[in-house]
Amino acid sequence: MLIAIDRNGNEVDAKDAKRNEKYFCPVCNSEVQLKRGDIKKEHFSHVSIHMCERHLYRKESETHLMLKHELYFKFGEAFNVKIECYLENIQQIPDLLVDDNHAVEIQLSKVSPSIILNRTKGYEKEGIDVTWLLKEEDLNIKEHTILLTQFHYAVMKDFIIYTVNNDLEISRYILTDNLRNNQWLFKVERIHYTDIFNHYCPLFFTKLRSRTDILKEIKGEREKRSYLNKTIGYLYQLSLSEDNLPKILYYSTPSERFINNNSLEWKLYLYYAVKTNSYNYHEFLKLLSFRKMNHMTTHRVARGLLKDFKQLFRLTN
């Protein structure tokens, strides 16, 4: 941690702390030690992390400490900024709290998506927006595509991922098209650090896919060689071949970006349900594999898919 409390109850920055003074954790009030050396940036540390309430403070890397400290001064040029401010109601400590309504979290290591989502929900309860900053080099980028994990879906905001590098340069990676599964087209913008507060949501539209892309997806499902493959199973039950695929399968829809299912699987299920009059909402939910994302519930995603399908069905029939 970079901030501790002195004997008089005043906040003290580690860089201004004196070696022979006593300092205390702002969360649990237990004594902390000043760490100052040639290798790692000066900071305070618990004698044992278990002394701190619910282990709120974790060990932070030198890079994390440096970025937090430098961004504190950067944001302080334009905003009212607090560093390591303990939010007692939700028992969370954002790296930076800007104007009391925006948390900035520097996330340099991959953790469970559930941890990210729970912390984001905590901030929401306090009316605080949050931006997660990742390391640029941790993004899996090949040419014009980016491959995402569940961790990335958890930290992104409206299909935008923010990154920071050691030079304090902040970038905005905007996902534009979901090619298949977790592979996305994207564009990247280098932005001024204050622009993370000028956030916007990219627009997604229903799009017509090429026959080549559809056949490639079907081939990929066949190559999995699983008799439980639902995509191939529904094609068989509907007596569909590559030559008589219904037009509805050629479209990708905005709501697809919230699920892990391939673009054909969920539409084939609903198409089969229409043809056999066998639709069941709970069975539809069981079919879907939902991405763990902020602000999205399973029912909201399912309703979005149903709405998309109805529009496509009217359009193609």
Side-chain angles (χ1 to χ4, degrees):
M1 72 181 77
L2 297 176
I3 299 294
I5 305 297
D6 66 13
R7 294 173 185 266
N8 299 316
N10 301 313
E11 289 188 353
V12 179
D13 192 305
K15 68 180 178 59
D16 301 320
K18 299 176 181 178
R19 283 194 178 277
N20 297 325
E21 293 291 330
K22 282 194 173 184
Y23 298 99
F24 305 89
C25 172
V27 177
C28 65
N29 295 319
S30 62
E31 190 172 347
V32 293
Q33 298 175 330
L34 175 64
K35 302 282 189 176
R36 181 179 286 150
D38 297 329
I39 299 177
K40 193 168 184 179
K41 184 177 181 61
E42 61 274 349
H43 63 284
F44 297 104
S45 174
H46 287 82
V47 175
S48 170
I49 192 64
H50 296 279
M51 295 167 63
C52 195
E53 184 178 345
R54 298 191 64 180
H55 304 192
L56 288 173
Y57 276 111
R58 302 291 184 180
K59 278 195 170 184
E60 294 176 333
S61 67
E62 169 69 5
T63 302
H64 191 141
L65 289 168
M66 181 275 292
L67 288 172
K68 178 162 57 175
H69 195 262
E70 296 305 316
L71 285 175
Y72 169 70
F73 290 108
K74 276 279 189 183
F75 284 114
E77 296 171 2
F79 305 99
N80 175 31
V81 185
K82 299 174 184 175
I83 190 170
E84 296 179 349
C85 175
Y86 178 50
L87 304 176
E88 187 172 1
N89 288 344
I90 57 175
Q91 298 185 351
Q92 292 179 201
I93 306 173
D95 286 328
L96 302 172
L97 184 62
V98 180
D99 286 348
D100 291 326
N101 61 13
H102 195 113
V104 178
E105 290 279 20
I106 302 164
Q107 190 62 43
L108 304 185
S109 60
K110 291 183 180 179
V111 298
S112 166
S114 298
I115 293 176
I116 299 293
L117 295 172
N118 288 336
R119 288 181 63 82
T120 300
K121 287 178 183 177
Y123 289 129
E124 288 176 352
K125 289 179 182 177
E126 294 294 294
I128 296 172
D129 189 28
V130 58
T131 298
W132 297 86
L133 297 178
L134 308 186
K135 287 192 297 186
E136 286 184 335
E137 56 266 34
D138 279 352
L139 299 181
N140 189 352
I141 295 173
K142 294 181 180 179
E143 297 181 351
H144 302 295
T145 66
I146 182 171
L147 185 64
L148 303 182
T149 65
Q150 290 296 334
F151 167 77
H152 296 116
Y153 287 112
V155 298
M156 71 170 57
K157 185 191 295 185
D158 295 327
F159 290 87
I160 292 179
I161 296 173
Y162 290 90
T163 66
V164 62
N165 62 24
N166 289 355
D167 296 322
L168 302 183
E169 295 172 324
I170 294 179
S171 296
R172 180 156 48 199
Y173 287 79
I174 306 163
L175 307 183
T176 56
D177 289 289
N178 189 194
L179 298 181
R180 63 190 62 85
N181 296 330
N182 296 306
Q183 189 175 6
W184 290 76
L185 290 175
F186 72 97
K187 62 180 181 178
V188 60
E189 301 172 345
R190 187 79 77 185
I191 62 175
H192 190 266
Y193 62 92
T194 59
D195 283 341
I196 67 171
F197 307 118
N198 300 322
H199 178 76
Y200 65 90
C201 180
L203 297 177
F204 292 89
F205 304 94
T206 297
K207 296 182 179 180
L208 184 63
R209 303 170 66 196
S210 69
R211 174 177 168 81
T212 300
D213 194 24
I214 296 295
L215 297 184
K216 184 177 180 180
E217 188 164 316
I218 293 175
K219 180 181 178 183
E221 293 302 308
R222 283 207 173 102
E223 288 176 347
K224 293 178 181 178
R225 298 186 181 280
S226 170
Y227 69 92
L228 296 176
N229 189 295
K230 292 183 173 63
T231 301
I232 303 305
Y234 286 123
L235 287 172
Y236 175 78
Q237 292 179 66
L238 288 162
S239 299
L240 296 176
S241 69
E242 297 174 354
D243 298 320
N244 66 339
L245 296 173
K247 193 68 174 178
I248 195 171
L249 299 182
Y250 282 80
Y251 288 87
S252 63
T253 78
S255 297
E256 286 181 12
R257 66 191 192 275
F258 298 112
I259 59 174
N260 293 309
N261 306 70
N262 68 61
S263 181
L264 298 177
E265 185 178 61
W266 71 274
K267 287 191 286 287
L268 280 167
Y269 170 85
L270 292 176
Y271 190 75
Y272 176 81
V274 170
K275 293 296 183 182
T276 59
N277 194 28
S278 59
Y279 170 72
N280 181 292
Y281 178 69
H282 296 292
E283 288 299 318
F284 183 50
L285 283 180
K286 286 170 61 177
L287 170 82
L288 299 174
S289 171
F290 297 93
R291 288 169 175 158
K292 294 181 179 180
M293 303 183 66
N294 295 308
H295 315 300
M296 296 304 299
T297 65
T298 57
H299 293 290
R300 184 178 173 188
V301 174
R303 288 195 295 268
L305 291 169
L306 291 171
K307 180 181 177 182
D308 291 348
F309 184 85
K310 289 176 182 177
Q311 291 175 339
L312 287 180
F313 196 79
R314 287 195 294 266
L315 175 68
T316 57
N317 288 273

